[in-house]
Amino acid sequence: MNSTKDILPIHSDDKSQIPFSHLKHLFLDVLFNPKYTIGADQFLKSSNNSVSLSASITDSSTITLHYEDYEGHHAVFSEEGIKRLRCIAATLSSRNELADCAQMYTKHRKSVVNLVCVRLREKLKVETLCVFTFSDELKEKTQRWIQVAKICVGTIFAIEKCFYEQIFGDLGSSEDSAANSFVYIIEGTAAELLEFPHSLLARGRLPQRPDILLPLCHELANLISHLMAYFDQDVCPAKAICNFATMIMLRLIQQIANILSVTEKHVLRELSTRPFPGGGIHPLTKYIIHHIDLIYVHRESLTELGSNDNRDPPEIPGSHEMDGGLVFLKRHLTRVIEFLLQNLKFKSNFYGQESLHCLFMMNNVNSVSEKIKSFKELEELIGTHLQMKLREKVELAKTDYFHRSWGEVCTFLKGEGLKSYFNCDFFPGRSTRAVKKKFKTFNSMFEDILQTQEGWIVPDLQLRMKLLECILAKLIPAYNHFLERLSRVYKVKRVSEYIKYSVKDLETKVLDMFQNKY
């Protein structure tokens, strides 16, 4: 850094001879003079600064808004301005006269931070207090608050911290007000930000919406960790903000613990009996898959629940080496999935046909199994025991479906067929009628299956192809065997005339099954 003589527009070799009033005037001139400010983007792109502008907001008109949109309200110091302020501050500190200028700086920058945050909230219609009528309205407001909080804490506060450390860093003692002034710059805005979750949690009854409160908990945990870093000084405002934030977090964690418990009960007690069309994915299964998604995305913040859960957990395979938070999540997910399996079995009983009952179970259990397989961390959290159980249920349902739908057809095709002349007397007319009857019986059985299952679905492409391949692997060899035996009936001419479906026709018809969408 340059010497005082080079930076200060005063021709004096003795810094102690510069009057305090003059230094104060110079400090204020740099503080308020626009020529010592630059654009926020220039500041952030400079090699000496690493603040990230990753937070952005999309408003209701789908316009993406970035922090840069507010830089006109956020006076950002140039490198020259910072050097001048630092030089003046160092001079005043050496003379134990820093407090007044630090106070002026704090007051000015506090108003700047308040202004930019107010403009940000106004632009995005984010209220200080959370007032809502409908759950969807709350979800939108919560998402907007999260983004505003990200920009304020992750960018605006970070820029101010950077300025403060470059200007006042290492100046003054730890007891000096100048050393703690940064807390006073941001404490008002931080307290206002926390009023939103505080007012939300102060309501008598919150919506049982994990999709709203889990993201809020996740982001609030991140924000609080940053706030704790900003407010690490041992001064009253810092302690008050940290205590307030901690209290809000604990109340939010308790709300989420209650919601997770309610979710478990809801899965077990949702007793609707109306069959879902085509044996597809039931709304309850979709709800649980979405719930598992939320748990996975916010698993880090949810591990904090483990230390606040005093229930005596049942023994869960694979949980011995996990920490408390992960055991809590594993126990919750295991309960939810086990309760879902019980409920699906209950609901499957209301399907009139046993084969559709099996298809319903296969589809729904497979959808949960595939969701778990989609994330390695989720597989590790759930554990192999439950995953194997899900896969076994899918395979059992697939096997049961085949036996109930196609078992009789394959048994018919593998039957004795027509007796050849080696085993009985031959009567031409009787053999011809028998051939026709055999084909008519098979055609009727095959067409009845196609017609009955015309509206059935297997939405998962991979599962559908495995099921169809399983059907063809049993049906086609049995059909070829059937045709071969009929062709050996002695003196029955032109057997091909009685064949309605060739092997290729059967394959085409089967491969077209289960492609409906609901």
Side-chain angles (χ1 to χ4, degrees), residues 7-9 22-38 75-89 101 104-105 108-109 112 163 167-168:
I7 295 295
L8 297 180
H22 194 60
L23 289 174
K24 181 178 179 180
H25 174 76
L26 291 174
F27 193 89
L28 289 173
D29 180 62
V30 178
L31 201 58
F32 291 97
N33 196 327
K35 77 176 184 179
Y36 294 114
T37 61
I38 59 175
V76 177
F77 295 117
S78 65
E79 183 178 356
E80 181 187 0
I82 290 173
K83 285 181 178 180
R84 286 180 176 273
L85 290 172
R86 172 69 183 191
C87 184
I88 297 170
C101 279
M104 289 188 299
Y105 178 88
H108 171 62
R109 296 310 297 180
V112 171
F163 289 159
I167 296 169
F168 295 104

Side-chain angles (χ1 to χ4, degrees), residues 215-226:
L216 180 61
C217 179
H218 178 77
E219 295 301 338
L220 192 58
N222 290 335
L223 293 173
I224 286 176
S225 66
H226 284 86

Side-chain angles (χ1 to χ4, degrees), residues 6 9 35 37 64 75 81 87 139 145 149 157-158 299 313 335 380 470 480:
D6 296 325
K35 77 176 184 179
T37 61
T64 300
C87 184
K139 184 174 184 178
W145 176 85
F157 290 2
R299 64 194 181 281
R335 282 176 175 161
E380 294 173 352
C470 174
N480 281 327

Side-chain angles (χ1 to χ4, degrees), residues 227-375:
L227 285 176
M228 295 296 189
Y230 290 135
F231 292 103
D232 59 351
Q233 292 94 335
D234 188 21
V235 293
C236 289
K239 291 179 180 178
I241 291 292
C242 289
N243 291 338
F244 189 37
T246 302
M247 180 269 291
I248 292 172
M249 191 64 196
L250 290 175
R251 290 177 64 183
L252 183 57
I253 286 174
Q254 185 57 51
Q255 283 286 342
I256 292 176
N258 294 337
I259 286 179
L260 296 184
S261 177
V262 169
T263 301
E264 294 173 8
K265 294 175 183 176
H266 170 71
V267 175
L268 189 60
R269 298 172 182 174
E270 200 282 311
L271 302 178
S272 61
T273 59
R274 181 180 179 182
F276 194 73
I281 310 300
H282 195 277
L284 180 62
T285 305
K286 293 179 181 179
Y287 171 79
I288 293 305
I289 289 174
H290 180 59
H291 182 75
I292 292 173
D293 251 337
L294 287 171
I295 295 294
Y296 171 76
V297 170
H298 305 295
R299 64 194 181 281
E300 293 181 3
S301 55
L302 284 173
T303 53
E304 296 183 33
L305 286 173
S307 59
N308 293 279
D309 185 47
N310 299 318
R311 292 175 293 181
D312 187 20
E315 184 65 27
I316 300 176
S319 62
H320 298 287
E321 298 180 357
M322 290 183 172
D323 61 41
L326 291 177
V327 170
F328 169 82
L329 290 184
K330 181 182 179 69
R331 183 171 69 242
H332 169 69
L333 289 174
T334 300
R335 282 176 175 161
V336 166
I337 294 172
E338 291 282 6
F339 291 164
L340 176 64
L341 293 178
Q342 293 178 39
N343 204 322
L344 290 175
K345 184 176 181 180
F346 164 76
K347 295 181 187 304
S348 68
N349 294 325
F350 294 92
Y351 286 87
Q353 295 157 299
E354 290 186 348
S355 51
L356 184 55
H357 161 131
C358 300
L359 201 70
F360 170 78
M361 289 297 296
M362 181 189 72
N363 281 329
N364 283 267
V365 177
N366 179 75
S367 65
V368 176
S369 178
E370 289 300 310
K371 169 53 63 178
I372 295 171
K373 287 168 57 179
S374 62
F375 299 108

Side-chain angles (χ1 to χ4, degrees), residues 58-73:
T58 301
D59 69 6
S60 57
S61 59
T62 69
I63 299 175
T64 300
L65 304 167
H66 295 273
Y67 168 73
E68 292 95 317
D69 295 315
Y70 304 93
E71 66 183 62
H73 305 300

